[in-house]
Amino acid sequence: MKRLAVILLVCIPFVCASAQIRNRLGVGDGLYLKYANGRIRQFDESNIHLADSIYRYGEHKSDSRIKMLALSLELPPRFIRNDTIRVKEIVSELKMMSGYNSRMREFYFLTMHDYCNMLIMSGRISDAMLEARDMSSKAAGAGNNLGQMYAHRVIGLIQSFRSNSELAISNFIQAAEFSIRAKEEQELPVIYNLIAREYIKLGRYDEVERFCSMAEEYQDFYPSLRVKTMLTKVYLYDAQGKTDEFNKAYQELVNNPLFYSQTDRDTRLMIEICWLRSCGRLEEALAKSDSLATDKERYGQKHLIYAVGDDYLNAYRQLNGLMETKDSIYIAVQNEDMAILDAELNNARLRLEAQRLRSQQELSIMFGFIMLFIIVTLAILFSQWNLERNLDYLRDRNRRELEARNAYRKAIDSKELENEMKTRILQNRQNNNQI
């Protein structure tokens, strides 16, 4: 008999917050403690008011780090409320703030990872993929391993939603490698749980046990991990048909005070339906199934419930509905892939156009420099030619003036010689007359 875990994991991606709520932004300890307490109850409505007070305090202090903290806290409950306009405002402001410094960039990656998880949970896969690729591009450009880790986690969750378990595992493993490179080992147990759940779908239970054990090594340091690991074990025991182990794990899970604050409504409802079915309370399980969010989840759960009750006709009908829904999802996925490809092609065209404009601008600048160089060179050559011409004119004028002075000097000398000769003749005459 098919078990809940496979259907559950296919239909509902687990919203996995960071394993450790660290003071990445370096704000005051008292303020961060308020944020951390709210972060543990990430979908709680009271976080909206808490976020508002923290944001106003950040404005008072003119500290963008504090405002970023508040926006991250406000995003999950706003998303659950389906407050689309406010969610877009928050995401836009977070993106703008992410460029301020490296600390805020890392906090941005963490927050966008959680935002992408919410997009996946609501079925907005193409939006989540575009955001994930944008994260990966920014992280690669900044050489940020933490950003790459979060991007690959999101892509892994997307592949999980699409029932591509092998691709999901591959991306989760890459995320684990980037986590180690970033020295963020506290993120590893969350990733290990995600890998374990994909192995449940593949029926490789030995791998599930191995990754669960690896995740459990961290839960003494990070108590919130207990919820994630117990969820994984609930899925595992149900898939294996281990009723006693399942019931024990279920009771431990639902009695954990963090269970309700760290899981979404449909995850809790699916777990309860699984428990009712295991107890033989099939009518109650069917009634609960009608409250599930999507047709795929409803058909999947009712198929399992009717199969347990040996009502094979209804089980077959539900299975047909499930197959039709899966076909619709497959078509939607193909359309989303085309939308993503189209968006990436448009982005590529925009990049090529920007490159062309930059090249044109560079050529224009280069041409301008060349023309300026030619003009300056011509101006210098003209000035040099003009100077040479003026010098030639001055030399010619000086030569003519010198020749004129020399001629004048010769004329003076000739006159003086003539006068001297006349004077001598007169003297000679006078001397002759005296004799």
Side-chain angles (χ1 to χ4, degrees):
M1 179 182 67
K2 294 184 179 180
R3 292 292 175 177
L4 169 68
V6 175
I7 300 298
L8 180 59
L9 290 173
V10 170
C11 299
I12 306 270
F14 183 73
V15 178
C16 49
S18 178
Q20 183 190 27
I21 303 173
R22 290 177 52 194
N23 190 351
R24 293 182 182 276
L25 292 173
V27 299
D29 291 339
L31 175 63
Y32 204 82
L33 182 60
K34 289 182 180 179
Y35 166 80
N37 287 333
R39 187 74 170 77
I40 291 172
R41 304 182 302 274
Q42 59 179 338
F43 296 109
D44 198 308
E45 286 278 322
S46 64
N47 280 348
I48 294 177
H49 302 292
L50 177 59
D52 182 60
S53 66
I54 293 175
Y55 191 91
R56 283 188 278 109
Y57 180 68
E59 285 187 320
H60 173 70
K61 291 289 187 180
S62 298
D63 193 330
S64 296
R65 297 173 305 155
I66 297 175
K67 292 195 288 185
M68 196 175 205
L69 204 69
L71 293 171
S72 172
L73 194 61
E74 183 184 358
L75 184 58
R78 288 288 186 189
F79 191 94
I80 294 299
R81 272 189 177 188
N82 199 29
D83 192 347
T84 307
I85 295 175
R86 180 56 186 156
V87 167
K88 287 182 178 179
E89 291 174 349
I90 291 171
V91 172
S92 177
E93 191 169 358
L94 285 168
K95 287 184 177 181
M96 180 267 294
M97 289 179 172
S98 67
Y100 289 175
N101 57 56
S102 58
R103 278 185 170 184
M104 295 179 76
R105 189 178 299 111
E106 287 193 350
F107 193 80
Y108 160 78
F109 287 135
L110 183 151
T111 305
M112 290 304 294
H113 162 263
D114 292 344
Y115 172 59
C116 287
N117 284 339
M118 289 180 261
L119 290 174
I120 296 168
M121 183 174 64
S122 63
R124 294 165 58 186
I125 303 304
S126 58
D127 290 339
M129 181 63 86
L130 289 172
E131 292 289 357
R133 292 184 178 180
D134 182 60
M135 285 170 60
S136 181
S137 177
K138 287 180 179 177
N144 191 299
N145 290 318
L146 184 69
Q148 290 280 41
M149 182 268 291
Y150 284 129
H152 279 286
R153 268 169 61 171
V154 171
I155 296 172
L157 288 170
I158 291 170
Q159 298 300 345
S160 175
F161 179 89
R162 294 176 169 182
S163 301
N164 295 328
S165 292
E166 296 287 356
L167 285 176
I169 291 170
S170 174
N171 276 280
F172 289 144
I173 289 173
Q174 289 182 69
E177 291 171 355
F178 278 114
S179 178
I180 294 170
R181 291 180 201 173
K183 295 181 171 56
E184 297 283 345
E185 287 82 358
Q186 72 278 357
E187 302 291 346
L188 290 174
V190 179
I191 299 172
Y192 293 154
N193 270 297
L194 293 172
I195 294 172
R197 295 177 196 186
E198 294 308 309
Y199 277 124
I200 292 175
K201 299 176 192 178
L202 297 174
R204 296 173 60 180
Y205 302 131
D206 54 337
E207 292 293 328
V208 178
E209 294 280 5
R210 183 167 73 90
F211 278 98
C212 278
S213 297
M214 291 166 66
E216 284 178 329
E217 293 177 5
Y218 293 81
Q219 65 190 24
D220 289 340
F221 299 97
Y222 313 115
S224 63
L225 285 173
R226 186 67 182 165
V227 171
K228 298 174 177 59
T229 306
M230 288 311 301
L231 269 171
T232 305
K233 287 195 170 183
V234 165
Y235 303 150
L236 173 63
Y237 296 144
D238 188 67
Q240 292 176 312
K242 295 181 177 180
T243 305
D244 292 340
E245 289 88 343
F246 166 80
N247 287 327
K248 182 179 178 181
Y250 171 79
Q251 292 300 329
E252 183 178 350
L253 177 65
V254 297
N255 289 321
N256 190 309
L258 297 178
F259 172 65
Y260 291 94
S261 62
Q262 289 199 341
T263 55
D264 61 278
R265 169 190 169 277
D266 266 25
T267 298
R268 296 192 297 271
L269 189 56
M270 293 278 273
I271 291 291
E272 185 179 2
I273 292 169
C274 174
W275 178 71
L276 289 170
R277 178 169 52 78
S278 71
C279 296
R281 296 161 62 176
L282 303 184
E283 291 300 323
E284 293 178 62
L286 283 171
K288 291 282 184 182
S289 299
D290 288 328
S291 300
L292 290 169
T294 67
D295 290 338
K296 182 181 177 183
E297 294 163 1
R298 287 191 292 273
Y299 283 128
Q301 286 307 305
K302 287 184 177 182
H303 163 68
L304 292 174
I305 294 165
Y306 284 127
V308 168
D310 296 331
D311 187 347
Y312 299 116
L313 178 59
N314 277 323
Y316 177 73
R317 289 171 179 168
Q318 298 300 322
L319 184 60
N320 277 340
L322 178 61
M323 293 301 104
E324 290 175 3
T325 304
K326 284 186 175 182
D327 289 341
S328 299
I329 291 174
Y330 177 78
I331 293 170
V333 165
Q334 298 305 309
N335 291 336
E336 287 164 359
D337 286 342
M338 291 301 295
I340 292 170
L341 181 59
D342 186 56
E344 289 181 341
L345 287 173
N346 285 334
N347 289 337
R349 291 191 196 101
L350 289 174
R351 285 194 296 270
L352 287 173
E353 180 65 17
Q355 181 70 30
R356 186 182 67 80
L357 291 174
R358 279 196 299 270
S359 298
Q360 284 185 347
Q361 187 178 26
E362 289 169 359
L363 286 173
S364 298
I365 292 171
M366 185 180 298
F367 180 74
F369 276 120
I370 292 172
M371 291 302 298
L372 180 62
F373 175 76
I374 291 172
I375 292 169
V376 170
T377 302
L378 290 174
I380 293 172
L381 291 174
F382 177 78
S383 298
Q384 185 71 22
W385 173 79
N386 196 41
L387 179 62
E388 290 290 340
R389 190 183 65 170
N390 290 336
L391 287 174
D392 289 342
Y393 170 76
L394 290 173
R395 289 190 194 102
D396 185 60
R397 191 180 69 177
N398 288 340
R399 180 181 57 76
R400 289 197 303 270
E401 288 178 354
L402 182 60
E403 288 175 351
R405 281 197 299 270
N406 289 336
Y408 178 75
R409 175 61 61 187
K410 287 179 180 179
I412 293 296
D413 290 344
S414 297
K415 191 66 176 176
E416 286 178 352
L417 181 61
E418 182 182 351
N419 290 336
E420 185 179 351
M421 291 297 294
K422 287 180 179 181
T423 301
R424 287 179 181 176
I425 292 170
L426 287 174
Q427 287 177 351
N428 288 334
R429 286 177 181 177
Q430 290 176 353
N431 290 334
N432 291 332
N433 288 332
Q434 290 177 354
I435 295 173

